[in-house]
C-alpha cells in the first residue's frame, strides 16, 4: 500500500514539475486573453515588429450608455489605447479591424481624428461592415483595406428622439454632415460631390436615404484603398514599418559620420 502511494506521489510531483515548466507560457497567454476581454485589443509580434491590434466592433458608444444586450465599443476605452500606441516606443504600428454598424457621431469622429493624426504606420481592415460613422474610422488609417464580402453604408447624419423643428437644428445637422464629408474626402480618394451624391441617394435603401457599397464598389469609388484580407493588411503594415525605420536610420547614420 505504501509503495502504491509513493508511486502516486512521484507521478503527481512529475506533473507538477511539468506544469511549472509551462507556467510562464500560460501566464503570458492569460495576460493576452485578459487584454482582449477587457479592451478588445492585443499586442502581437510580426516580422520582428510590435503591432497593436485594435478592434472597433458593434456600436460605437459615446456620451450615453447603451443597453447591456448591445455589443459596443466604448470610445473612452479606445482613446487611451490610441494615445498609448503613438507614444510607446516599443510599439511600431497600429492595425485597426472594423466590423461596426456605426453609433455616436461625435465619438466616432473623435476616434477617427486621433488615428488620422498619428505619425506611426496605421492600417485599417473592414470586415463584415463599416457602416455610418465607421466610414471615417476606416479611411482614417494611412492605408485602408476591405474584405470582398464586407460592405459600407453611407448616409446623412440623423438623430433619434425629440428634435426641435427649427432652422437652427437643420443648420446644426448640415454642419455636422460637412465635418464628416470633409474628413472622409480628405483621407480617401473619393470626391466630395460623389460622396454627397451617395449619401443622399433615395433609390437604394427602403426606409432610409443613402447607399450601400460592397468591398469592390468601395475600392472602385476611391473610398477604400484596396481589397484584401488579414494577411494583406499585415503585409502592408510591416512594409510601412520597415520603410519608417529606414527613414529614421538615415539621419542617425549621417550624425555618426559627422
Amino acid at each position: 500500500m505504501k509503495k502504491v502511494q509513493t508511486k502516486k506521489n512521484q507521478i503527481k510531483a512529475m506533473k507538477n514539475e511539468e506544469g511549472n515548466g509551462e507556467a510562464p507560457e500560460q501566464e503570458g497567454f492569460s495576460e493576452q486573453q485578459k487584454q482582449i476581454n477587457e479592451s478588445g485589443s492585443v499586442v502581437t509580434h510580426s516580422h520582428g515588429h510590435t503591432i497593436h491590434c485594435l478592434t472597433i466592433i458593434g456600436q460605437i458608444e459615446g456620451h450615453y450608455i447603451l443597453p447591456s444586450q448591445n455589443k459596443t465599443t466604448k470610445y473612452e476605452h479606445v482613446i487611451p489605447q490610441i494615445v498609448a500606441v503613438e507614444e510607446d516606443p516599443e510599439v511600431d504600428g497600429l492595425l485597426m479591424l472594423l466590423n461596426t454598424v456605426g453609433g455616436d457621431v461625435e465619438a466616432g469622429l473623435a476616434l477617427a481624428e486621433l488615428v488620422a493624426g498619428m505619425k506611426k504606420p496605421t492600417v485599417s481592415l473592414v470586415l463584415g461592415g463599416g457602416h455610418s460613422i465607421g466610414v471615417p474610422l476606416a479611411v482614417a488609417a494611412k492605408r485602408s483595406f476591405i474584405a470582398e464580402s464586407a460592405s459600407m453604408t453611407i448616409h446623412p447624419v440623423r438623430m433619434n428622439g425629440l428634435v426641435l423643428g427649427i432652422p437652427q437644428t437643420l443648420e446644426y445637422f448640415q454642419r455636422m454632415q460637412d465635418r464628416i464629408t470633409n474628413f472622409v474626402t480628405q483621407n480617401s480618394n473619393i470626391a466630395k460631390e460623389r460622396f454627397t451624391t451617395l449619401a443622399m441617394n433615395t433609390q437604394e435603401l427602403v426606409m432610409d436615404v443613402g447607399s450601400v457599397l460592397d468591398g469592390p464598389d468601395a475600392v472602385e469609388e476611391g473610398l477604400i484603398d484596396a481589397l484584401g484580407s488579414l494577411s494583406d493588411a499585415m503585409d502592408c503594415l510591416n512594409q510601412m514599418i520597415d520603410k519608417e525605420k529606414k527613414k529614421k536610420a538615415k539621419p542617425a547614420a549621417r550624425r555618426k559620420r559627422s
Side-chain angles (χ1 to χ4, degrees):
M1 187 70 177
K2 287 183 179 179
K3 287 183 179 180
V4 173
Q5 289 178 345
T6 303
K7 187 68 175 175
K8 284 182 178 179
N9 290 337
Q10 288 175 351
I11 293 172
K12 187 176 180 181
M14 289 173 65
K15 286 183 177 179
N16 287 336
E17 288 176 3
E18 289 175 1
N20 290 335
E22 293 176 1
E25 185 179 348
Q26 290 175 351
E27 184 180 347
F29 177 77
S30 64
E31 285 296 322
Q32 192 180 67
Q33 190 64 43
K34 183 180 178 183
Q35 186 183 12
I36 293 171
N37 292 339
E38 291 182 353
S39 63
S41 67
V42 67
V43 175
T44 63
H45 303 280
S46 173
H47 295 78
H49 304 144
T50 302
I51 294 170
H52 187 103
C53 176
L54 174 67
T55 57
I56 307 292
I57 59 171
Q59 195 165 347
I60 298 168
E61 188 178 89
H63 303 295
Y64 298 97
I65 298 174
L66 294 172
S68 58
Q69 68 267 22
N70 288 31
K71 180 70 72 174
T72 63
T73 295
K74 299 179 184 296
Y75 88 118
E76 70 269 24
H77 291 174
V78 178
I79 286 176
Q81 291 183 61
I82 296 173
V83 174
V85 171
E86 179 71 356
E87 295 301 316
D88 190 346
E90 299 297 322
V91 178
D92 299 310
L94 173 69
L95 174 67
M96 187 165 55
L97 303 179
L98 295 103
N99 189 359
T100 175
V101 296
D104 188 287
V105 173
E106 290 188 344
L109 203 54
L111 296 178
E113 289 282 8
L114 280 176
V115 174
M118 294 178 67
K119 291 181 180 178
K120 287 186 177 178
T122 55
V123 170
S124 66
L125 173 59
V126 179
L127 301 162
H131 306 296
S132 191
I133 200 62
V135 174
L137 277 164
V139 304
K142 292 179 174 63
R143 183 76 175 169
S144 59
F145 289 85
I146 185 170
E148 192 166 356
S149 61
S151 62
M152 306 182 80
T153 303
I154 302 171
H155 62 72
V157 174
R158 63 263 179 100
M159 185 178 291
N160 295 327
L162 181 64
V163 178
L164 294 177
I166 54 176
Q168 288 89 333
T169 301
L170 298 176
E171 183 184 354
Y172 171 77
F173 276 14
Q174 186 57 53
R175 289 167 63 186
M176 178 66 76
Q177 183 62 51
D178 288 342
R179 287 165 58 192
I180 295 170
T181 302
N182 290 336
F183 181 89
V184 171
T185 54
Q186 288 168 8
N187 289 277
S188 68
N189 295 315
I190 192 170
K192 187 174 182 179
E193 295 77 14
R194 180 57 181 164
F195 185 81
T196 302
T197 300
L198 291 170
M200 301 305 293
N201 181 22
T202 59
Q203 303 300 314
E204 187 167 347
L205 302 180
V206 178
M207 301 295 290
D208 202 352
V209 178
S211 303
V212 179
L213 303 178
D214 59 18
D217 289 338
V219 175
E220 186 177 347
E221 292 285 356
L223 190 61
I224 299 295
D225 293 323
L227 284 174
S229 61
L230 177 60
S231 59
D232 297 316
M234 289 296 293
D235 288 343
C236 178
L237 184 55
N238 282 313
Q239 289 171 13
M240 291 170 67
I241 293 171
D242 285 335
K243 190 175 180 181
E244 190 68 23
K245 286 186 174 181
K246 285 178 183 177
K247 271 188 193 177
K248 292 179 180 178
K250 285 182 181 178
R254 288 172 186 165
R255 283 196 296 270
K256 284 182 181 179
R257 288 174 191 168
S258 61

